[in-house]
Amino acid sequence: MNVDDVDSITVLGAGNMGHGIAEVAALAGYDVVLRDIEDEFVQQGYDKIEWSLNKLAEKDRLSQEDADAALARVSTAVDLADAVADADVVIEAVPEKMSIKKEVYTELEEHAPDHTVFATNTSSLSITELSEVTERPERFCGMHFFNPPVRMDLVEVISGAHTDDETLDLVEDLAESMGKTPVRVRKDSPGFIVNRILVPLMNEAAWIVHAGDATMAEVDSTTKYDMGLPMGSFELADYVGIDVGFHVLEYMHEVLGDAYEPCPLLSEKVEAGDLGQKTGQGFYDYEDGEGAEVPHDEGSEGVKNRLLGVMANEVAGLVENDVADPAAIDRAVKLGGRFPDGPAKMADSAGIAPLVDALDDLHDETGEARYEAVAYLRDLAQSGEGFYGDGDEGSDDAPAFDTISVDVREGVGHITLDRPHRLNTISTELIEELSTAIDLFSDDDDVRAVLLTGAGERAFSAGADVTSIAASGPDALTGTELSRTGQQTFGKLEASDMPVVAAIDGFCLGGGMELTMCADLRIATKRSEFGQPEHNLGLVPGWGGTVRLQRIVGTGRAKEIIFTADRYDAETMADYGFVNELFESENFETDAFEYAKQFAQGPPVAQRLTKRAMHSAWEDSDAGLEVESQAFGLVFTTTDLMEGVAAFTSDRDPEFTGE
């Protein structure tokens, strides 16, 4: 069976994950049966799907017609036989207990058609053990969505010991058809990829505080600001639910041994019922206190190296045991954990050898199994290489990009900000790669226009990656240099001889909006939102916004946008003159390319000279007029002018060559 043969999907369990998966499947066009053990549970799940679809329509993420059509594809059931009678794929999302899941699969095997593929949404339990309850272990795999399924892009596709390749290919294709990014986990291993990294990291943070080696504030300040992770370790535990991580850790401890022994700090919280935000009390107080207020200036280099060492050890273990390669691990953790960079790349940046030294020191001091470096990590340290080798990948004329993607087609050099897991926020690495890509286009005679877009469906760019940038610390010189670097890189687009088009879909905020100010033309979907929120953070626009915005919309409007720090819809920004043209969201990628392509077919010499004349006039209108007159004279000497006149008289489209 392949994905084209899948028409009907049954989701077992109508809780948060179950109804979310059902909604995603229905949005992808599948007929979905949502099943739970009681009518009340099923109805609650269905109601939440309806609410979510209506919210998506309200936010213009889809039309109301599409929302209604998706809901119409969802039916409900309590009787298991009825629920799976026509199922091509069953996705199980019942409570995360091995005994409960085994009971479900024993009953499911009795009623499901012979061709049906079984996929479990378990976050850590053994795929192999669950599959052996059934008579179809070769057509059984893990399909681990992340919460909330509607918003999170990652799906871990996990092979059990008996799973055949056809099943894995089918489920990967199914995830892609739902608009998700599948990452294959080649071998059944507790925690798979993301939880195998995040849960031991949470556990180590707890052990650090339990041992009195650092305070909770120091640990969270380190993880959030020095390492640039989305949340502090304890803040994340509270957000996810301390019990959730603890139970995964218990399972890892049972299967993998003493290296995963849960810290008493975690078990004490679970026993007391202080599970985090959902109970109002966890490591932070959400009822009587102010919740997770993480200081930005209490980070510790020792804590950072300790956490990075433990994380690198987990990555090495996964690679050594052929669970996944470094690239898959990094992709999964960036998507599922919202890390700015993957853990393998973070370890390479820190240096494998010093991380192994830190682990060895801890192991000598404590004797704890969790600090024993795995053989593969030690081999990397001794070889002087990292997870990605010596870092010299690819040729000089074809640099590898991590935060953007680049291609050239029909004269259009296309740069995509490619950090959808972080809403395409702009990091220092992205600025460096953007600078390289602009230089490549400038030297490429095949590139006649530049198109800027953002990956994913939510944002062109939501601004600067504040958490990763804040890792550099509150230093005035560092901040000044960061501003200048961004200004210089963005300025390359403004100074480019080629027309530059920014195609905006979704959030376009802060530094992302400043980037679009360097484009010659801006187009946007009607659902897009704009704003300069820097004043809400106590910042000022630092990548040219104070200068360029007023040139585009006028000084009064620019001050309004910056001082209010409000969000502005696309129609308002079009009225202000910031957006040249509005489009519907559907087919925007194609529309944006066609829009840019028309400028790639224009006369390069005339375009270059026109930009120079207009930019000269910003500071001095007389100087601009002089540049214009010289430019007018220069184009009289070009072959392009002759081609343009010939095409006009022959009633055909010109073919300009830039000569």
Side-chain angles (χ1 to χ4, degrees), residues 60-92:
D60 292 328
R61 298 284 302 278
L62 74 165
S63 68
Q64 188 62 55
E65 181 181 0
D66 288 340
D68 293 341
L71 187 64
R73 287 190 283 270
V74 179
S75 58
T76 60
V78 171
D79 183 81
L80 183 62
D82 291 343
V84 302
D86 299 316
D88 298 308
V89 175
V90 172
I91 303 174
E92 166 267 308

Side-chain angles (χ1 to χ4, degrees), residues 153-491:
D153 290 332
L154 177 65
V155 172
E156 291 177 323
V157 177
I158 309 111
S159 176
H162 313 295
T163 312
D164 62 27
D165 288 341
E166 182 181 350
T167 297
L168 294 171
D169 291 342
L170 166 66
V171 173
E172 280 190 352
D173 291 345
L174 185 62
E176 287 184 347
S177 76
M178 296 178 183
K180 302 303 179 184
T181 301
V183 172
R184 183 172 295 195
V185 183
R186 297 192 290 244
K187 187 180 292 184
D188 191 6
S189 184
F192 312 131
I193 295 176
V194 176
N195 281 334
R196 184 67 168 269
I197 302 296
L198 294 186
V199 173
L201 194 67
M202 176 192 74
N203 195 37
E204 183 58 26
W207 278 113
I208 291 172
V209 174
H210 179 73
D213 295 333
T215 65
M216 190 172 76
E218 289 170 334
V219 171
D220 270 9
S221 183
T222 300
T223 49
K224 189 168 186 174
Y225 296 108
D226 290 12
M227 295 171 67
L229 304 188
M231 295 182 179
S233 292
F234 294 99
E235 181 184 12
L236 178 62
D238 279 356
Y239 176 78
V240 173
I242 299 170
D243 56 324
V244 174
F246 177 73
H247 292 316
V248 173
L249 198 59
E250 280 189 311
Y251 181 71
M252 289 181 177
H253 186 211
E254 176 186 342
V255 177
L256 299 173
D258 289 342
Y260 301 90
E261 178 187 357
C263 177
L265 275 185
L266 300 174
S267 56
E268 289 167 6
K269 290 292 183 183
V270 173
E271 289 170 8
D274 296 332
L275 308 180
Q277 290 186 17
K278 61 187 176 184
T279 61
Q281 182 74 45
F283 290 109
Y284 294 94
D285 187 347
Y286 301 90
E287 286 183 335
D288 301 322
E290 296 180 343
E293 292 196 337
V294 179
H296 68 271
D297 56 355
E298 294 190 29
S300 160
E301 190 70 16
V303 170
K304 179 180 178 180
N305 288 337
R306 187 165 169 175
L307 293 174
L308 283 172
V310 168
M311 190 162 61
N313 212 29
E314 293 300 330
V315 173
L318 291 172
V319 175
E320 183 177 70
N321 291 303
D322 196 33
V323 176
D325 60 36
I329 294 168
D330 278 358
R331 185 164 62 253
V333 176
K334 285 195 293 184
L335 289 171
R338 302 292 195 189
F339 276 34
D341 286 315
K345 187 174 180 184
M346 292 172 69
D348 281 359
S349 298
I352 301 297
L355 296 182
V356 170
D357 288 342
L359 289 172
D360 286 345
D361 290 343
L362 287 163
H363 190 258
D364 290 342
E365 179 185 339
T366 67
E368 295 292 345
R370 62 183 177 277
Y371 302 127
E372 187 171 351
V374 302
Y376 181 68
L377 190 69
R378 196 172 296 283
D379 290 344
L380 290 179
Q382 291 173 351
S383 70
E385 296 188 350
F387 288 106
Y388 289 99
D390 59 10
D392 187 21
E393 298 179 41
S395 61
D396 292 338
D397 59 350
F401 295 109
D402 291 322
T403 65
I404 63 174
S405 60
V406 174
D407 69 89
V408 177
R409 179 163 55 97
E410 297 185 62
V412 178
H414 186 186
I415 299 174
T416 303
L417 309 184
D418 196 11
R419 303 179 79 225
H421 63 292
R422 303 279 283 191
L423 295 180
N424 300 321
T425 48
I426 299 171
S427 63
T428 52
E429 183 181 9
L430 189 147
I431 293 174
E432 293 171 2
E433 293 189 355
L434 180 63
S435 179
T436 300
I438 297 168
D439 291 343
L440 286 174
F441 287 169
S442 297
D443 295 335
D444 189 342
D445 293 337
D446 291 333
V447 178
R448 301 264 293 272
V450 176
L451 173 64
L452 297 173
T453 61
E457 299 181 350
R458 299 185 61 201
F460 170 82
S461 171
D465 189 341
V466 177
T467 54
S468 66
I469 288 174
S472 60
D475 177 75
L477 180 60
T478 301
T480 300
E481 288 305 310
L482 174 63
S483 175
R484 286 174 178 163
T485 301
Q487 289 173 355
Q488 291 164 1
T489 295
F490 291 7

Side-chain angles (χ1 to χ4, degrees), residues 92-109:
E92 166 267 308
V94 304
E96 191 75 347
K97 291 186 181 295
M98 183 67 80
S99 59
I100 295 176
K101 289 182 184 290
K102 284 184 174 181
E103 288 179 11
V104 168
Y105 282 113
T106 300
E107 185 180 1
L108 178 60
E109 186 63 58

Side-chain angles (χ1 to χ4, degrees), residues 18 26 106 123 145 149 152 172 190 195 225 241 338 362 367 369 392-393 431 468 496 504 511 537 546 549 561 571 573:
T106 300
S123 61
F145 289 79
M152 297 294 281
E172 280 190 352
N195 281 334
Y225 296 108
R338 302 292 195 189
L362 287 163
D392 187 21
E393 298 179 41
I431 293 174
S468 66
S496 171
I504 301 154
L537 301 174
T546 60
L549 185 57
I561 291 168
E571 290 187 3
M573 294 304 288

Side-chain angles (χ1 to χ4, degrees), residues 462-541:
D465 189 341
V466 177
T467 54
S468 66
I469 288 174
S472 60
D475 177 75
L477 180 60
T478 301
T480 300
E481 288 305 310
L482 174 63
S483 175
R484 286 174 178 163
T485 301
Q487 289 173 355
Q488 291 164 1
T489 295
F490 291 7
K492 288 183 178 183
L493 287 170
E494 186 175 69
S496 171
D497 289 338
M498 298 171 285
V500 179
V501 177
I504 301 154
D505 183 24
F507 297 122
C508 182
L509 307 173
M513 185 169 164
E514 288 177 289
L515 175 58
T516 68
M517 295 175 197
C518 298
D520 299 300
L521 303 112
R522 287 162 293 278
I523 61 175
T525 58
K526 294 178 181 178
R527 71 178 185 177
S528 298
E529 293 185 32
F530 299 79
Q532 297 291 153
E534 286 85 356
H535 279 196
N536 284 339
L537 301 174
L539 290 170
V540 298

Side-chain angles (χ1 to χ4, degrees), residues 116-133:
T116 306
V117 169
F118 294 170
T120 175
N121 183 59
T122 181
S123 61
S124 61
L125 301 179
S126 171
I127 307 300
T128 302
E129 186 174 345
L130 288 172
S131 74
E132 290 173 348
V133 174

Side-chain angles (χ1 to χ4, degrees), residues 490-500 515-522 547-548 551-552 606-629 631:
F490 291 7
K492 288 183 178 183
L493 287 170
E494 186 175 69
S496 171
D497 289 338
M498 298 171 285
V500 179
L515 175 58
T516 68
M517 295 175 197
C518 298
D520 299 300
L521 303 112
R522 287 162 293 278
V547 175
R548 294 190 178 100
R551 288 176 180 166
I552 300 169
Q607 290 172 334
R608 177 174 70 249
L609 295 175
T610 298
K611 286 184 69 170
R612 290 180 182 177
M614 295 178 74
H615 292 177
S616 296
W618 283 341
E619 303 299 333
D620 187 328
S621 58
D622 289 336
L625 290 171
E626 179 60 25
V627 172
E628 179 184 270
S629 64

